[in-house]
Amino acid sequence: QAGEPEVEVFSVPSYACQRRTSLENHNAPLTDALSLLAENAELNDEEGRGVAFRRAAALLKTLPSAVMSASQLRGLPCLGEHSLREILETGTSTEVESTKGSERFKALKVLTGIFGVGAKTADRWIREGIHDLHQLRASGQHYADINQPVTRAEADAIEAIVEKAVSSVLRGAQIVLTGGFRRGKPSGHDVDFLITHPEEGREEGLMPKVVSWLEKTTRNSYLESKDGPGRPPSNMDRFERCLSIFKLPGAAETPQRAWRAVRVDLVVSPISQFAFALLGWTGSKLFERELRRWAGHERGMSLSSHALYDNKQVNEGAASEEEIFAHLGLEFVPPSERNA
Ligand code: TTP
Ligand code: MN
Ligand code: MN
Ligand code: MN
């Protein structure tokens, strides 16, 4: 082998929405460690630290090769957190190791993996001595354990069912697969769909119809709505949204069950807001956060999954994602490169 390896000093724009981030990650050991710290911070309600770790991880995901030394990262944004330095130097950090070994972290992960269980509920259960699914069952509560990832094939099967439901209840209504699967991920924690109709207003009241069609017509698979059809939780957004559980036949998780539970996220949008909804529901979560941060801090604009307003509160309409990026002064980033 010839001589010293050339050490590349990386240079990367600050905002994740200015970068392309494919699924190919040359720094997985580092980003796994940072994602673990982010997850732990989020589960413990430390949002600021969570975001800092997520940003650092996203920055490393975008690099064209593996980081060999901290000197390659000099001057890069988001890398101030001192745990990261330790991870770069030793491959891990005391915080990563203690988090991995922590009973509380393990319990929080298992319990928040249950559909509809957030950090608050999990924290209460832990204080009541419930740390795992056995103890939860023993306490008399029954929840569907749906932690197993959804495959692309399962997503396609569900897409066919939703497509049929939507076109049956409203002619001309259309669905698009969003979320991680639109970004090209081979698996996910749920399957996300955006539903619209090319004529403004025709989409009104669509969700309850889709839900009851699914409940009545699909003999083998049905769904349970968490929020109730047509009643979106006020903290989400103004679209009709339905978080549900599909029961796919023939892929039993356990011999006792003939079906496998899969989370499905349904969102209805009027066509006038469709481009914003599509951009807002494709993710990744960090990419979305960075888009909104860019819009606010760099452009004095306000971006949501409904609209883009400039600093004079003028609504910037858009018929496509490309137009929204153009309004924001950003180069278009295709879905497969939004895996920040
Ligand atoms: P998720 O389904 O949580 O994530 P994902 O599809 O990227 O990953 P996974 O494969 O694990 O499912 O969210 C998809 C996108 O939807 C994400 O960018 C966040 C966005 N979103 C919400 O989750 N809630 C909202 O209220 C809005 C407006 C957007
Ligand atoms: Mn590469
Ligand atoms: Mn998803
Ligand atoms: Mn989702």
Side-chain angles (χ1 to χ4, degrees):
Q1 291 198 336
E4 288 280 299
E6 232 176 84
V7 174
E8 184 182 356
V9 176
F10 298 113
S11 148
V12 170
S14 303
Y15 290 82
C17 54
Q18 296 173 287
R19 315 189 288 248
R20 289 175 168 250
T21 312
S22 71
L23 289 169
E24 188 187 19
N25 179 358
H26 301 273
N27 288 286
L30 292 173
T31 60
D32 286 351
L34 288 166
S35 301
L36 183 114
L37 295 180
E39 200 178 359
N40 189 45
E42 287 158 3
L43 287 170
N44 287 294
D45 230 18
E46 301 171 303
E47 211 203 318
R49 289 190 81 220
V51 173
F53 288 129
R54 296 269 177 222
R55 283 211 193 110
L59 192 135
L60 295 171
K61 280 183 202 167
T62 203
L63 298 179
S65 61
V67 177
M68 308 308 269
S69 80
S71 63
Q72 291 176 281
L73 302 176
R74 204 162 293 148
L76 287 190
C78 326
L79 298 175
E81 190 56 51
H82 91 270
S83 284
L84 177 63
R85 195 142 295 266
E86 212 187 325
I87 297 168
L88 280 170
E89 279 158 13
T90 68
T92 186
S93 81
T94 43
E95 196 185 350
V96 169
E97 291 310 308
S98 68
T99 302
K100 271 188 192 160
S102 144
E103 290 305 319
R104 178 179 162 80
F105 178 68
K106 283 185 239 172
L108 281 170
K109 273 206 74 156
V110 169
L111 298 174
T112 57
I114 299 167
F115 186 66
V117 176
K120 272 207 179 75
T121 304
D123 180 67
R124 195 184 70 234
W125 285 345
I126 291 168
R127 281 187 280 110
E128 290 166 6
I130 298 167
H131 291 80
D132 59 33
L133 299 174
H134 277 284
Q135 291 168 338
L136 185 64
R137 246 168 253 134
S139 80
Q141 312 210 51
H142 294 272
Y143 285 86
D145 176 13
I146 47 175
N147 278 319
Q148 205 179 304
V150 188
T151 64
R152 178 72 209 208
E154 288 168 332
D156 291 341
I158 289 169
E159 181 168 21
I161 297 170
V162 175
E163 179 111 52
K164 189 140 183 268
V166 165
S167 59
S168 303
V169 300
L170 180 63
R171 253 163 67 103
Q174 290 158 6
I175 70 162
V176 186
L177 187 62
T178 60
F181 287 110
R182 182 164 184 248
R183 303 197 307 276
K185 277 176 60 179
S187 67
H189 96 284
D190 69 357
V191 192
D192 306 283
F193 294 100
L194 182 59
I195 305 169
T196 192
H197 190 283
E199 256 176 76
E200 186 81 4
R202 295 288 303 278
E203 80 294 340
E204 272 174 37
L206 186 52
M207 189 72 83
K209 288 182 199 148
V210 170
V211 170
S212 57
W213 188 95
L214 284 164
E215 283 169 344
K216 260 183 259 148
T217 319
T218 57
R219 236 172 342 116
N220 293 321
S221 61
Y222 64 94
L223 87 186
E224 255 165 29
S225 169
K226 184 186 153 214
D227 305 311
R231 275 183 283 120
S234 53
N235 62 330
M236 285 298 179
D237 60 19
R238 305 190 306 274
F239 294 132
E240 283 194 86
R241 179 185 187 184
C242 181
L243 295 160
S244 51
I245 302 180
F246 267 56
K247 301 193 174 177
L248 279 189
E253 283 163 326
T254 62
Q256 292 84 37
R257 285 193 214 146
W259 46 266
R260 149 153 166 67
V262 176
R263 292 177 222 217
V264 177
D265 229 351
L266 302 172
V267 177
V268 174
S269 153
I271 191 73
S272 60
Q273 300 177 6
F274 180 76
F276 296 99
L278 184 60
L279 180 59
W281 287 91
T282 295
S284 68
K285 285 199 181 77
L286 187 87
F287 192 89
E288 301 295 336
R289 181 185 274 276
E290 292 280 278
L291 270 176
R292 293 193 299 269
R293 190 165 71 97
W294 167 272
H297 290 209
E298 304 297 326
R299 287 291 183 271
M301 292 174 150
S302 163
L303 175 69
S304 74
S305 49
H306 303 279
L308 176 66
Y309 291 95
D310 74 6
N311 52 10
K312 295 171 205 91
Q313 293 301 298
V314 177
N315 191 340
E316 307 266 16
S320 67
E321 289 185 321
E322 281 85 347
E323 280 183 43
I324 303 171
F325 280 88
H327 281 318
L328 289 168
L330 288 169
E331 239 175 75
F332 180 67
V333 179
S336 63
E337 306 283 339
R338 296 180 202 159
N339 287 291

